[in-house]
Every structure is written in C-alpha cells, then in structure tokens.
Amino acid sequence: MLGLTGVTPQEGRALLDHLLRHASSPNYTIRFGWNLGDFVLWDNQATWHYAVDDYGDGARVYRKVIGVEPLRTAH
C-alpha cells in the first residue's frame, strides 16, 4: 500500500483529492483549437494531458517524441 509519511490514510486521500481538483481546475487547463498544420509541444513530466474526443469521425493523428537529458558523469 502506498501512502504519505506522517498523515493518516484519510488525510492522504483528502490531500490527493484536493490536489487533483486543483490541477484540473480551469486556472491550470488549456483547450487548443486545432488548425491544419498546427504543431503543439508539451512536457509530459510536467503536464497532465487529456485528449477530448471532439474530433468527429476524423482520425486523431499524432507523433510522440521522447527526449531525455544525457547522463552527467563526475569529473
């Protein structure tokens, strides 16, 4: 079982519920209106991405690129 150190499971659940409501509030969301040729980039490590199914019968086409920082070695 996962949890937060120093709080009860009920307190942890309440905190998680609060954080999820906060992150999904309109203050922290964007709705992008696509046009032909548009290019959008976001960081999945810092973004909660959700694709709304509002593109009708057309195909949802996307390309995913994963980039990582090279490992740094001690000198």
Side-chain angles (χ1 to χ4, degrees):
M1 178 174 203
L2 297 177
L4 297 173
T5 302
V7 297
T8 67
Q10 294 80 14
E11 291 169 328
R13 183 77 235 174
L15 178 57
L16 179 59
D17 290 344
H18 169 76
L19 292 172
L20 290 173
R21 277 193 312 276
H22 180 76
S24 62
S25 76
N27 292 330
Y28 302 103
T29 61
I30 184 171
R31 183 76 186 259
F32 190 80
W34 291 95
N35 292 300
L36 186 62
D38 282 348
F39 176 82
V40 177
L41 181 71
W42 64 86
D43 179 352
N44 274 341
Q45 294 180 2
T47 306
W48 186 5
H49 172 252
Y50 175 76
V52 177
D53 185 7
D54 65 352
Y55 37 88
D57 294 332
R60 180 171 177 252
V61 179
Y62 64 95
R63 306 291 187 275
K64 187 175 188 176
V65 177
I66 300 173
V68 296
E69 286 187 46
L71 293 176
R72 296 180 185 180
T73 58
H75 296 302

